[in-house]
């Protein structure tokens, strides 16, 4: 369980995390989604006790990250943005080192177990310096899981690794979510959608939307869109012609035709076709345009940036 209340971080005068509150339950994968500089890493560093909040508080498994930081560290596994590398250690020694630092009961056994989980057991004698980027990421994951934490916090775990390994890491995150509380950050919307039960969108330190991917999509999607290509009509004429249809909320030029914004759930295609013909124009194309969550995310983030 993660409970975050009014968490705020300032670097000097710069407000990097601005009064955010959210919770993540056991068995839940929560995605922190936002563009570079949104405040994802700063949030995670506060949650893992690496950096004190300027204001607000957070609890991990019921323990306050500032007051009970030792208890928190026992219960949280953290894969930082840049995993500290000990190039001359073997894979096994690296994980064993962290197992001992964290007081794991059967460190050797637990190291072997976690290396198997992340699919690195066969590489246990390899020097860290000789691992690929993807393997290093998995080693970082092993380090984060070796003390069997309840809460796992992963900072952009798929950045800079090849597509096959991206799939593997995403699978691991989903699996982890079955028995842990997982908070994981990404700047890739489709990844958040695939992996998370709930997505929190942050931009410039603020939460700007949150919910299950499906709910979020409905919330962000202000209506449906149609694309129409009409021969013979200029923008003003098309706007006038289609603007009178009940359910049409706006008409704007797009490519060689027009984007028609429609009230959610309204079916206006028949009427659009009829009006065009009646107006003496020709309808060359008429189709629904699916707005992806990606479009909506960009739309949202760009709007925030403009304001
Ligand atoms: N130690 C720091 N000192 C000053 N500014 C920082 C520091 N760390 C991060 N920032 C700034 O805070 C903002 C949020 O950064 P960060 O939390 O790393 O965002 P994200 O992980 O979403 O990319 C950025 O504008 C970044 O430049
Ligand atoms: Mg970051």
């Amino acid at each position: 369980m993660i409970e975050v209340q009014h968490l705020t971080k300032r670097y000097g005068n710069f407000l990097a995390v601005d009064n955010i509150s959210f919770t993540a339950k056991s068995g839940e994968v929560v995605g922190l989604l936002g563009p570079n500089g949104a405040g994802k890493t700063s949030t995670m560093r506060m949650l893992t006790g690496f950096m004190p909040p300027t204001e607000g508080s957070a609890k991990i498994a019921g323990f306050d990250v500032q007051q009970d930081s030792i208890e928190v560290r026992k219960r949280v596994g953290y894969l930082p943005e840049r995993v500290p590398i000990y190039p001359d250690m073997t894979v096994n020694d690296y994980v064993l080192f962290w197992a001992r630092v964290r007081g794991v009961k059967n460190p050797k056994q637990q190291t072997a177990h976690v290396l198997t989980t992340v699919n690195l057991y066969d590489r246990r004698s390899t020097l860290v310096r000789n691992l690929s980027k993807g393997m290093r990421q998995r080693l970082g994951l092993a380090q984060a899981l070796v003390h069997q934490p309840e809460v796992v916090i992963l900072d952009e775990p798929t950045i800079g690794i090849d597509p096959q390994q991206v799939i593997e890491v995403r699978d691991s995150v989903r699996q982890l979510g079955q028995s842990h509380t997982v908070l994981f950050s990404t700047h890739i919307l489709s990844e958040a959608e695939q992996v998370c039960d709930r997505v929190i969108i942050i931009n410039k330190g603020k939460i700007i939307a949150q919910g299950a991917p499906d709910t979020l999509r409905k919330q962000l999607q202000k209506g449906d869109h149609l694309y129409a290509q009409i021969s013979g009509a200029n923008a003003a004429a098309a706007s006038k012609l289609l603007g009178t249809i009940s359910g049409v909320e706006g008409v704007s030029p797009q490519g060689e035709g027009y984007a028609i914004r429609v009230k959610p759930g309204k079916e206006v295609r028949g009427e659009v076709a009829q009006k065009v013909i009646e107006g003496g124009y020709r309808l060359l194309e008429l189709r629904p345009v699916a707005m992806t969550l990606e479009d909506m995310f960009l739309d949202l983030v760009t709007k925030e940036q403009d304001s």
Side-chain angles (χ1 to χ4, degrees), residues 86-227:
Y86 297 74
D88 297 322
M89 271 185 171
T90 64
V91 163
N92 192 78
D93 287 350
Y94 179 80
V95 178
L96 191 57
F97 166 74
W98 283 110
R100 289 192 167 128
V101 165
R102 299 201 185 111
V104 170
K105 277 208 184 97
N106 300 308
K108 284 189 181 162
Q109 215 177 319
Q110 182 56 20
T111 296
H113 171 70
V114 82
L115 283 177
T116 309
T117 311
V118 302
N119 219 353
L120 277 180
Y121 188 73
D122 293 345
R123 300 276 180 164
R124 63 191 180 282
S125 305
T126 305
L127 290 180
V128 172
R129 70 161 76 249
N130 294 329
L131 295 179
S132 70
K133 180 89 200 327
M135 288 178 191
R136 277 185 204 191
Q137 207 63 343
R138 270 156 37 212
L139 182 65
L141 202 56
Q143 161 279 127
L145 298 176
V146 72
H147 54 305
Q148 299 182 287
E150 288 164 49
V151 174
V152 183
I153 296 183
L154 310 169
D155 197 355
E156 305 221 31
T158 61
I159 235 171
I161 60 179
D162 68 54
Q164 180 54 38
Q165 296 190 318
V166 166
I167 293 169
E168 286 175 21
V169 171
R170 287 177 188 168
D171 284 346
S172 318
V173 175
R174 265 194 299 262
Q175 259 171 29
L176 271 176
Q178 292 171 4
S179 48
H180 298 74
T181 306
V182 181
L183 181 68
F184 116 108
S185 68
T186 177
H187 64 280
I188 306 163
L189 181 109
S190 57
E191 175 165 279
E193 220 181 345
Q194 280 172 40
V195 174
C196 302
D197 302 309
R198 201 146 52 79
V199 180
I200 297 173
I201 303 182
I202 70 167
N203 189 38
K204 291 177 162 181
K206 280 198 182 73
I207 295 181
I208 52 175
Q210 61 175 311
D214 281 356
T215 321
L216 208 54
R217 180 193 296 278
K218 283 187 196 117
Q219 192 183 325
L220 296 183
Q221 192 165 24
K222 285 171 199 82
D224 299 324
H225 283 74
L226 294 175
Y227 174 81

Side-chain angles (χ1 to χ4, degrees), residues 36-37 39-42 81 155-156 185:
N36 284 334
K40 304 182 293 296
T41 298
S42 300
E81 201 168 32
D155 197 355
E156 305 221 31
S185 68

